Amino acid sequence: MNEFYSLLKKNEVHPQVIPGIILGLFAFAGAAWGAYSIGPIGPIIYSGVALVLSGSFFFIELFRKKEKPFQNVAFTLLGVIYIAFPFSLFNTMVPGFDAEAWNNGSNDTFLYLPHFLLAFFFMVWSNDTFAYLTGRAFGRTKFFERISPKKTWEGTIGGVLLTQGTAYLISIYFKELDLVHWMMMAGIVSITATLGDLVESMFKRSINIKDSGGILPGHGGLLDRFDGVLLSAPFVCLYLLMVR
C-alpha cells in the first residue's frame, strides 16, 4: 500500500498514507478475526468500525489543505480495495469445516488447510513463469500490445496449459478437492492473474514509470510481485467457497 500511495504522489495525487495503511491493517485483522474464531457479533463490530474509519478520511481531508480533496479520499480508499482487501481474503482460503466431526456431535469442527493458499500461489507463479518462458521461446503474436508490448498469445496459452499441469500435480497430494476443481481453480488463476498483471501495467503506464519500486533487485517493487495475485484472489476465494 505504501508503494501504491508513493506512485500516486508522482501523479500529483495526495492520498492519506498512514490512515489508509491503518484501515488496510484493520481490514486484514478483521478478516482473520472473522475467519478463525469470533461469534456472530464479530462481523457486526468489524463492519461498524471499518465504516467509521472510512468516513474519517473525509474529516481528515478538511484539515490537509490539499488540492482535489475528494480525489485524495477516493485514491486512499482505492489502495484499501485494491491491495488490503485481496490480502484479507487469504484468510478465507485456510479455514475449513469438518463435516464428519459435526455429524458426530463435536463442536471442534475447525480445519486448518494452508495448502489451499499455497496451491494458489503455486498456480500464480506457474502461470507467470511458464508464460514468460514459452513467450520467450515461441512468442510471435502480440497479446495486448497497447498495455504490455512483450506479452504474446503463445506465452499466455503456454502459461494456461502448464498451470493446468501444476493443478494436476497438486491434486495428487491434496485430496480435499477433485481434480476437476483444482483445474478449474488453475483456469481462474491463469485468466485473472494475467488480467491483473495488465491492470498494474496500465496503472504504471498512466503515470510513466517502469517499476513500482526497487526493494527487490531485478524484480521491481513488492507491488510488481503481487500484481497478478491482487485481482485473482477474490475470484479464487469465491470459487473455493462454492466448492469446498
Side-chain angles (χ1 to χ4, degrees):
M1 289 182 69
N2 186 61
E3 279 188 6
F4 178 72
Y5 290 144
S6 297
L7 295 178
L8 290 173
K9 290 179 181 179
K10 296 179 181 180
N11 206 34
E12 299 183 357
V13 178
H14 302 281
Q16 300 173 28
V17 178
I18 300 302
I21 291 175
I22 290 173
L23 181 57
L25 289 171
F26 178 80
F28 185 88
W33 188 23
Y36 295 109
S37 57
I38 296 310
I41 195 64
I44 298 174
I45 296 173
Y46 162 70
S47 300
V49 176
L51 288 172
V52 169
L53 289 174
S54 300
S56 68
F57 291 167
F58 295 91
F59 300 143
I60 293 171
E61 203 63 37
L62 284 172
F63 301 95
R64 296 182 76 211
K65 299 180 181 179
K66 300 289 186 180
E67 294 184 2
K68 302 178 181 178
F70 279 88
Q71 179 175 286
N72 297 335
V73 171
F75 278 106
T76 302
L77 291 171
L78 178 61
V80 178
I81 295 169
Y82 179 46
I83 298 170
F85 179 65
F87 273 94
S88 300
L89 288 176
F90 293 158
N91 291 292
T92 68
M93 291 189 188
V94 175
F97 178 74
D98 190 343
E100 184 176 350
W102 174 264
N103 292 332
N104 292 332
S106 173
N107 291 324
D108 186 16
T109 59
F110 178 83
L111 292 176
Y112 181 64
L113 305 170
H115 54 269
F116 280 104
L117 182 58
L118 187 59
F120 170 65
F121 276 101
F122 276 149
M123 289 175 183
V124 173
W125 295 333
S126 296
N127 186 69
D128 288 348
T129 301
F130 291 128
Y132 172 77
L133 294 176
T134 54
R136 283 289 300 270
F138 307 108
R140 297 293 184 273
T141 311
K142 298 299 182 182
F143 174 63
F144 218 111
E145 190 170 8
R146 178 173 61 87
I147 300 298
S148 185
K150 294 183 179 179
K151 285 191 181 298
T152 63
W153 274 107
E154 291 83 359
T156 301
I157 294 170
V160 171
L161 294 177
L162 291 168
T163 303
Q164 292 294 316
T166 301
Y168 173 73
L169 292 176
I170 291 171
S171 72
I172 295 174
Y173 296 98
F174 301 112
K175 303 296 186 180
E176 285 83 2
L177 290 182
D178 294 334
L179 173 61
V180 63
H181 291 307
W182 285 119
M183 296 185 77
M184 283 292 295
M185 178 178 167
I188 293 170
V189 166
S190 292
I191 294 170
T192 55
T194 300
L195 294 175
D197 180 56
L198 289 171
V199 166
E200 208 226 345
S201 295
M202 178 176 64
F203 169 60
K204 290 189 294 185
R205 278 182 171 272
S206 71
I207 54 178
N208 297 315
I209 64 162
K210 181 180 179 182
D211 296 319
S212 65
I215 194 171
L216 301 172
H219 293 273
L222 291 174
L223 194 57
D224 292 318
R225 293 302 89 210
F226 288 100
D227 50 7
V229 167
L230 295 175
L231 293 185
S232 184
F235 295 93
V236 171
C237 286
L238 178 60
Y239 183 73
L240 288 177
L241 287 173
M242 291 190 298
V243 301
R244 273 172 43 177

